[in-house]
Amino acid sequence: MATAADTVAEPDESIAESVFDCVGNTPVVALNRLFPQPEFDVLAKLELMNPGGSMKDRSARYIVDSGLRDGSITPGCRLVESSSGNFGIALAMAARVRGLRFTCVLDPKTTTANIALLRSLGTDVEMVDDVDEAGGYLHSRIRRVNELLAADPDAVWINQYANDRNWQAHYHGTGAELAEQLVRPPEYLFAAVSTTGSILGCARRLREEFPGMRVIAVDAVGSVIFGGAPGPRDIPGIGSSRVPELCRPEEIDEVVYVDDVAAAKGCRELLATEGVFAGGSTGAVVAAIQRTLPRLDRPGRIVAVFPDRGDRYLDLVYDDNWLAGVHQRRTEHSS
Protein backbone atom coordinates (compact mmCIF):
# COMPACT_ATOMS: atom_id res chain seq x y z
CA MET A 1 0.00 0.00 0.00
CA ALA A 2 1.44 3.35 -1.06
CA THR A 3 2.01 5.95 1.63
CA ALA A 4 2.32 9.73 1.45
CA ALA A 5 6.06 9.34 1.64
CA ASP A 6 6.00 7.20 -1.49
CA THR A 7 4.23 9.91 -3.49
CA VAL A 8 6.60 12.07 -5.51
CA ALA A 9 5.29 15.56 -6.21
CA GLU A 10 5.25 16.44 -9.89
CA PRO A 11 7.22 19.57 -10.77
CA ASP A 12 5.22 22.65 -11.71
CA GLU A 13 4.84 23.03 -15.45
CA SER A 14 5.67 26.30 -17.12
CA ILE A 15 3.07 26.61 -19.89
CA ALA A 16 1.85 29.89 -21.34
CA GLU A 17 -1.88 30.34 -21.91
CA SER A 18 -1.28 31.97 -25.31
CA VAL A 19 1.50 33.26 -27.51
CA PHE A 20 0.88 36.73 -26.09
CA ASP A 21 1.92 35.51 -22.66
CA CYS A 22 5.36 34.99 -24.22
CA VAL A 23 5.83 38.68 -25.03
CA GLY A 24 8.73 40.36 -23.26
CA ASN A 25 11.68 39.19 -21.18
CA THR A 26 13.93 39.73 -24.19
CA PRO A 27 17.70 39.41 -23.72
CA VAL A 28 20.42 42.04 -23.74
CA VAL A 29 23.52 41.14 -25.76
CA ALA A 30 26.96 42.76 -26.03
CA LEU A 31 28.00 43.84 -29.54
CA ASN A 32 31.74 43.37 -29.05
CA ARG A 33 32.37 42.17 -32.61
CA LEU A 34 30.60 45.06 -34.31
CA PHE A 35 31.92 47.62 -31.82
CA PRO A 36 35.32 46.32 -30.62
CA GLN A 37 36.46 49.66 -29.16
CA PRO A 38 37.61 48.84 -25.60
CA GLU A 39 36.53 52.23 -24.22
CA PHE A 40 32.88 51.59 -25.19
CA ASP A 41 30.43 49.00 -24.02
CA VAL A 42 27.64 48.69 -26.62
CA LEU A 43 24.64 46.58 -25.62
CA ALA A 44 21.48 45.72 -27.53
CA LYS A 45 18.03 44.89 -26.19
CA LEU A 46 16.80 42.27 -28.65
CA GLU A 47 13.15 43.20 -29.01
CA LEU A 48 13.23 41.31 -32.30
CA MET A 49 12.93 38.12 -30.20
CA ASN A 50 9.32 38.82 -29.22
CA PRO A 51 6.96 36.16 -30.64
CA GLY A 52 5.56 38.47 -33.31
CA GLY A 53 9.05 39.55 -34.29
CA SER A 54 9.03 43.09 -32.95
CA MET A 55 8.71 45.34 -29.92
CA LYS A 56 5.22 46.27 -31.16
CA ASP A 57 4.00 43.05 -29.51
CA ARG A 58 4.35 44.86 -26.19
CA SER A 59 2.24 47.89 -27.09
CA ALA A 60 -0.43 45.76 -28.82
CA ARG A 61 -0.81 43.46 -25.84
CA TYR A 62 -0.81 46.29 -23.30
CA ILE A 63 -3.27 48.47 -25.24
CA VAL A 64 -5.71 45.67 -26.05
CA ASP A 65 -5.68 43.99 -22.64
CA SER A 66 -5.97 47.32 -20.80
CA GLY A 67 -8.87 48.29 -23.06
CA LEU A 68 -10.66 45.00 -22.42
CA ARG A 69 -10.24 45.50 -18.68
CA ASP A 70 -11.62 49.05 -18.56
CA GLY A 71 -14.32 48.54 -21.23
CA SER A 72 -12.92 50.91 -23.86
CA ILE A 73 -12.52 47.76 -25.99
CA THR A 74 -15.52 45.46 -25.83
CA PRO A 75 -15.57 41.70 -26.54
CA GLY A 76 -16.10 40.97 -30.22
CA CYS A 77 -15.60 44.56 -31.40
CA ARG A 78 -13.58 45.60 -34.44
CA LEU A 79 -10.15 47.13 -33.94
CA VAL A 80 -8.97 49.58 -36.59
CA GLU A 81 -5.44 50.86 -37.04
CA SER A 82 -3.13 52.46 -39.57
CA SER A 83 0.17 50.59 -39.61
CA SER A 84 3.24 50.09 -41.76
CA GLY A 85 3.37 46.47 -40.70
CA ASN A 86 4.80 45.43 -37.34
CA PHE A 87 2.17 47.02 -35.14
CA GLY A 88 -0.50 45.72 -37.47
CA ILE A 89 0.87 42.20 -37.13
CA ALA A 90 1.01 42.52 -33.35
CA LEU A 91 -2.61 43.74 -33.27
CA ALA A 92 -3.63 40.91 -35.59
CA MET A 93 -2.14 38.44 -33.11
CA ALA A 94 -3.96 40.16 -30.25
CA ALA A 95 -7.24 40.04 -32.16
CA ARG A 96 -6.83 36.31 -32.85
CA VAL A 97 -6.03 35.51 -29.23
CA ARG A 98 -8.66 37.80 -27.67
CA GLY A 99 -11.48 37.01 -30.10
CA LEU A 100 -11.67 40.42 -31.77
CA ARG A 101 -12.00 41.54 -35.39
CA PHE A 102 -9.30 43.71 -36.93
CA THR A 103 -8.98 45.99 -39.94
CA CYS A 104 -5.50 47.26 -40.81
CA VAL A 105 -4.99 50.21 -43.18
CA LEU A 106 -1.75 49.86 -45.17
CA ASP A 107 0.02 51.59 -48.05
CA PRO A 108 2.22 50.47 -50.98
CA LYS A 109 5.41 50.66 -48.89
CA THR A 110 4.25 47.79 -46.70
CA THR A 111 6.33 44.72 -47.44
CA THR A 112 4.72 41.80 -49.25
CA ALA A 113 5.65 39.52 -46.35
CA ASN A 114 3.75 41.71 -43.89
CA ILE A 115 0.66 41.83 -46.09
CA ALA A 116 0.65 38.06 -46.49
CA LEU A 117 1.08 37.53 -42.76
CA LEU A 118 -1.71 39.94 -41.88
CA ARG A 119 -4.12 38.18 -44.23
CA SER A 120 -3.09 34.78 -42.88
CA LEU A 121 -3.98 36.05 -39.40
CA GLY A 122 -7.49 36.88 -40.60
CA THR A 123 -7.03 40.63 -40.83
CA ASP A 124 -9.19 42.74 -43.14
CA VAL A 125 -6.57 44.64 -45.14
CA GLU A 126 -7.39 48.11 -46.48
CA MET A 127 -4.80 49.47 -48.93
CA VAL A 128 -4.54 53.19 -49.72
CA ASP A 129 -2.48 54.24 -52.72
CA ASP A 130 -3.03 58.00 -52.95
CA VAL A 131 0.01 60.06 -51.94
CA ASP A 132 -0.89 62.63 -49.28
CA GLU A 133 0.03 66.29 -49.02
CA ALA A 134 3.25 65.44 -47.15
CA GLY A 135 4.47 63.20 -49.96
CA GLY A 136 3.77 59.98 -48.07
CA TYR A 137 0.76 57.88 -47.18
CA LEU A 138 0.18 58.41 -43.46
CA HIS A 139 -2.40 61.17 -43.83
CA SER A 140 -4.20 59.11 -46.48
CA ARG A 141 -4.25 56.12 -44.15
CA ILE A 142 -5.70 58.23 -41.32
CA ARG A 143 -8.43 59.54 -43.60
CA ARG A 144 -9.37 55.94 -44.45
CA VAL A 145 -9.39 55.06 -40.75
CA ASN A 146 -11.88 57.86 -40.10
CA GLU A 147 -14.09 56.59 -42.93
CA LEU A 148 -14.09 53.12 -41.41
CA LEU A 149 -14.96 54.47 -37.97
CA ALA A 150 -17.87 56.45 -39.39
CA ALA A 151 -19.20 53.35 -41.15
CA ASP A 152 -19.00 51.02 -38.12
CA PRO A 153 -20.19 52.25 -34.70
CA ASP A 154 -18.59 49.23 -33.03
CA ALA A 155 -15.12 50.00 -34.40
CA VAL A 156 -12.35 51.14 -32.05
CA TRP A 157 -9.34 53.09 -33.32
CA ILE A 158 -6.19 52.08 -31.47
CA ASN A 159 -4.33 55.23 -32.63
CA GLN A 160 -0.77 54.36 -31.61
CA TYR A 161 0.45 57.90 -32.36
CA ALA A 162 -1.70 59.41 -29.60
CA ASN A 163 -2.43 56.51 -27.23
CA ASP A 164 -0.68 56.96 -23.87
CA ARG A 165 -0.82 53.22 -23.38
CA ASN A 166 1.74 52.97 -26.18
CA TRP A 167 4.54 54.56 -24.13
CA GLN A 168 3.23 52.99 -20.92
CA ALA A 169 3.70 49.52 -22.45
CA HIS A 170 7.41 50.24 -22.80
CA TYR A 171 7.68 52.00 -19.45
CA HIS A 172 6.32 48.91 -17.68
CA GLY A 173 7.85 46.46 -20.17
CA THR A 174 11.03 47.21 -22.14
CA GLY A 175 12.24 49.97 -19.84
CA ALA A 176 11.49 48.09 -16.62
CA GLU A 177 13.32 45.01 -17.91
CA LEU A 178 16.37 47.08 -18.87
CA ALA A 179 16.40 48.74 -15.44
CA GLU A 180 16.59 45.27 -13.91
CA GLN A 181 19.02 43.79 -16.44
CA LEU A 182 21.56 46.64 -16.23
CA VAL A 183 23.54 47.05 -13.04
CA ARG A 184 26.11 49.54 -14.31
CA PRO A 185 24.42 52.69 -15.63
CA PRO A 186 24.37 53.41 -19.36
CA GLU A 187 25.46 56.85 -20.44
CA TYR A 188 23.41 56.69 -23.65
CA LEU A 189 20.15 55.19 -24.91
CA PHE A 190 19.79 54.86 -28.70
CA ALA A 191 16.35 54.03 -30.10
CA ALA A 192 14.55 54.43 -33.43
CA VAL A 193 11.42 56.58 -33.55
CA SER A 194 8.09 56.51 -35.35
CA THR A 195 5.29 57.08 -32.83
CA THR A 196 7.96 57.92 -30.17
CA GLY A 197 6.11 55.68 -27.71
CA SER A 198 8.91 53.15 -27.25
CA ILE A 199 11.76 55.65 -26.81
CA LEU A 200 9.78 57.75 -24.32
CA GLY A 201 8.58 54.77 -22.31
CA CYS A 202 12.09 53.32 -22.08
CA ALA A 203 13.69 56.69 -21.31
CA ARG A 204 11.21 57.60 -18.58
CA ARG A 205 11.71 54.30 -16.77
CA LEU A 206 15.49 54.15 -17.19
CA ARG A 207 16.00 57.74 -16.04
CA GLU A 208 14.39 56.83 -12.75
CA GLU A 209 17.35 54.49 -12.18
CA PHE A 210 20.00 56.31 -14.23
CA PRO A 211 19.17 60.05 -14.21
CA GLY A 212 22.34 61.04 -16.05
CA MET A 213 21.54 58.97 -19.14
CA ARG A 214 21.34 60.82 -22.47
CA VAL A 215 18.58 59.84 -24.91
CA ILE A 216 19.43 59.77 -28.60
CA ALA A 217 16.58 59.34 -31.07
CA VAL A 218 17.32 57.72 -34.42
CA ASP A 219 15.05 59.15 -37.10
CA ALA A 220 14.82 58.64 -40.86
CA VAL A 221 15.95 61.21 -43.38
CA GLY A 222 12.68 62.58 -44.74
CA SER A 223 10.82 62.28 -41.41
CA VAL A 224 9.22 65.39 -39.88
CA ILE A 225 8.93 64.21 -36.25
CA PHE A 226 11.59 66.60 -34.95
CA GLY A 227 11.27 69.31 -37.58
CA GLY A 228 13.19 67.66 -40.40
CA ALA A 229 12.39 68.38 -44.04
CA PRO A 230 9.83 65.95 -45.50
CA GLY A 231 11.13 63.57 -48.12
CA PRO A 232 10.79 60.06 -49.56
CA ARG A 233 11.44 57.09 -47.27
CA ASP A 234 11.42 53.46 -48.37
CA ILE A 235 12.03 51.57 -45.12
CA PRO A 236 8.86 51.12 -43.04
CA GLY A 237 8.77 51.31 -39.26
CA ILE A 238 10.98 54.36 -38.75
CA GLY A 239 10.16 58.04 -39.17
CA SER A 240 6.82 59.71 -39.78
CA SER A 241 5.27 62.27 -42.09
CA ARG A 242 3.51 63.95 -39.15
CA VAL A 243 4.40 64.80 -35.56
CA PRO A 244 2.93 62.20 -33.18
CA GLU A 245 0.75 63.50 -30.37
CA LEU A 246 2.90 61.48 -27.97
CA CYS A 247 6.11 63.24 -29.00
CA ARG A 248 7.93 65.22 -26.30
CA PRO A 249 11.08 66.72 -27.90
CA GLU A 250 12.20 68.14 -24.55
CA GLU A 251 12.82 64.58 -23.34
CA ILE A 252 15.19 63.82 -26.24
CA ASP A 253 18.80 65.01 -25.98
CA GLU A 254 19.79 64.49 -29.62
CA VAL A 255 18.36 63.32 -32.93
CA VAL A 256 20.47 61.43 -35.49
CA TYR A 257 19.08 61.16 -39.01
CA VAL A 258 19.85 58.02 -41.04
CA ASP A 259 18.97 57.44 -44.69
CA ASP A 260 17.79 54.18 -46.24
CA VAL A 261 21.20 53.24 -47.63
CA ALA A 262 22.99 53.65 -44.29
CA ALA A 263 20.23 51.69 -42.54
CA ALA A 264 20.57 48.83 -45.01
CA LYS A 265 24.34 48.76 -44.56
CA GLY A 266 23.84 48.73 -40.79
CA CYS A 267 21.60 45.67 -41.09
CA ARG A 268 24.14 43.85 -43.22
CA GLU A 269 27.09 44.67 -40.97
CA LEU A 270 25.16 43.55 -37.89
CA LEU A 271 24.35 40.23 -39.55
CA ALA A 272 27.91 39.73 -40.80
CA THR A 273 29.58 40.47 -37.46
CA GLU A 274 27.11 39.43 -34.77
CA GLY A 275 24.80 37.03 -36.61
CA VAL A 276 21.79 39.17 -35.63
CA PHE A 277 19.16 39.16 -38.39
CA ALA A 278 17.40 42.48 -37.88
CA GLY A 279 15.01 44.85 -39.64
CA GLY A 280 15.55 48.25 -41.19
CA SER A 281 15.02 50.39 -38.11
CA THR A 282 17.60 48.31 -36.25
CA GLY A 283 20.07 48.94 -39.07
CA ALA A 284 19.40 52.65 -38.67
CA VAL A 285 20.24 52.40 -34.95
CA VAL A 286 23.50 50.61 -35.81
CA ALA A 287 24.39 53.32 -38.34
CA ALA A 288 23.58 56.07 -35.83
CA ILE A 289 25.86 54.54 -33.19
CA GLN A 290 28.67 54.14 -35.74
CA ARG A 291 28.36 57.78 -36.76
CA THR A 292 28.07 59.14 -33.22
CA LEU A 293 30.63 56.99 -31.42
CA PRO A 294 33.77 59.03 -32.34
CA ARG A 295 32.48 62.13 -30.53
CA LEU A 296 30.97 60.51 -27.42
CA ASP A 297 32.63 60.88 -24.02
CA ARG A 298 34.95 57.99 -23.16
CA PRO A 299 34.67 55.57 -21.56
CA GLY A 300 30.98 55.06 -22.17
CA ARG A 301 28.19 52.55 -22.05
CA ILE A 302 25.50 52.49 -24.74
CA VAL A 303 22.26 50.56 -24.65
CA ALA A 304 20.39 50.30 -27.94
CA VAL A 305 16.89 48.99 -28.60
CA PHE A 306 16.71 46.67 -31.63
CA PRO A 307 13.03 46.84 -32.65
CA ASP A 308 12.40 44.01 -35.12
CA ARG A 309 13.83 41.07 -37.01
CA GLY A 310 14.85 40.90 -40.63
CA ASP A 311 12.71 38.28 -42.34
CA ARG A 312 10.12 40.87 -43.40
CA TYR A 313 12.84 42.98 -45.01
CA LEU A 314 14.32 40.40 -47.36
CA ASP A 315 12.96 42.25 -50.38
CA LEU A 316 14.23 45.58 -49.02
CA VAL A 317 17.44 46.08 -47.06
CA TYR A 318 18.79 42.59 -47.82
CA ASP A 319 18.03 42.78 -51.55
CA ASP A 320 20.94 44.00 -53.70
CA ASN A 321 18.64 45.22 -56.48
CA TRP A 322 16.59 47.28 -54.02
CA LEU A 323 19.74 48.80 -52.55
CA ALA A 324 21.09 49.65 -56.02
CA GLY A 325 17.80 51.34 -56.87
CA VAL A 326 17.91 53.44 -53.69
CA HIS A 327 21.50 54.42 -54.49
CA GLN A 328 20.47 55.48 -57.99
CA ARG A 329 17.47 57.53 -56.80
CA ARG A 330 19.61 59.29 -54.20
CA THR A 331 22.26 60.11 -56.83
CA GLU A 332 19.63 61.47 -59.25
CA HIS A 333 18.02 63.54 -56.48
CA SER A 334 21.33 65.14 -55.45
CA SER A 335 22.49 65.89 -59.00
Side-chain angles (χ1 to χ4, degrees), residues 36-194:
Q37 298 89 338
E39 65 271 28
F40 284 104
D41 185 18
V42 183
L43 311 173
K45 177 73 163 162
L46 298 184
E47 287 296 281
L48 51 86
M49 293 184 69
N50 279 300
S54 84
M55 69 190 313
K56 297 292 189 178
D57 290 2
R58 293 186 188 266
S59 43
R61 182 179 70 172
Y62 191 86
I63 291 169
V64 170
D65 286 355
S66 297
L68 287 169
R69 282 194 299 269
D70 69 13
S72 57
I73 296 174
T74 56
C77 77
R78 177 177 298 280
L79 307 178
V80 177
E81 183 61 311
S82 160
S83 171
S84 61
N86 282 326
F87 189 54
I89 289 165
L91 281 175
M93 291 170 56
R96 288 280 91 182
V97 170
R98 303 301 188 233
L100 305 169
R101 295 168 293 155
F102 177 44
T103 298
C104 192
V105 182
L106 306 173
D107 63 55
K109 290 187 177 180
T110 307
T111 65
T112 55
N114 280 351
I115 296 171
L117 183 52
L118 283 166
R119 285 181 169 146
S120 296
L121 284 165
T123 301
D124 294 324
V125 171
E126 291 272 338
M127 185 70 70
V128 300
D129 56 10
D130 50 323
V131 177
D132 60 30
E133 57 275 18
Y137 296 96
L138 180 58
H139 297 281
S140 299
R141 295 203 316 252
I142 298 303
R143 281 193 284 271
R144 183 56 183 149
V145 165
N146 286 319
E147 292 170 358
L148 293 168
L149 295 174
D152 185 352
D154 292 327
V156 176
W157 183 20
I158 297 299
N159 195 5
Q160 61 173 327
Y161 282 78
N163 195 325
D164 280 325
R165 284 174 172 162
N166 183 355
W167 72 261
Q168 290 166 6
H170 298 284
Y171 175 91
H172 296 293
T174 323
E177 288 174 18
L178 278 169
E180 184 175 337
Q181 290 168 314
L182 301 177
V183 176
R184 284 199 298 114
E187 280 75 31
Y188 306 95
L189 169 69
F190 279 74
V193 291
S194 55

Side-chain angles (χ1 to χ4, degrees), residues 175-234:
E177 288 174 18
L178 278 169
E180 184 175 337
Q181 290 168 314
L182 301 177
V183 176
R184 284 199 298 114
E187 280 75 31
Y188 306 95
L189 169 69
F190 279 74
V193 291
S194 55
T195 67
T196 70
S198 57
I199 192 171
L200 291 175
C202 290
R204 288 166 182 169
R205 180 63 184 88
L206 284 172
R207 278 176 164 161
E208 292 176 359
E209 304 292 329
F210 314 117
M213 183 189 72
R214 289 179 59 81
V215 177
I216 300 178
V218 182
D219 201 1
V221 172
S223 168
V224 305
I225 297 174
F226 297 103
R233 295 175 288 113
D234 288 324

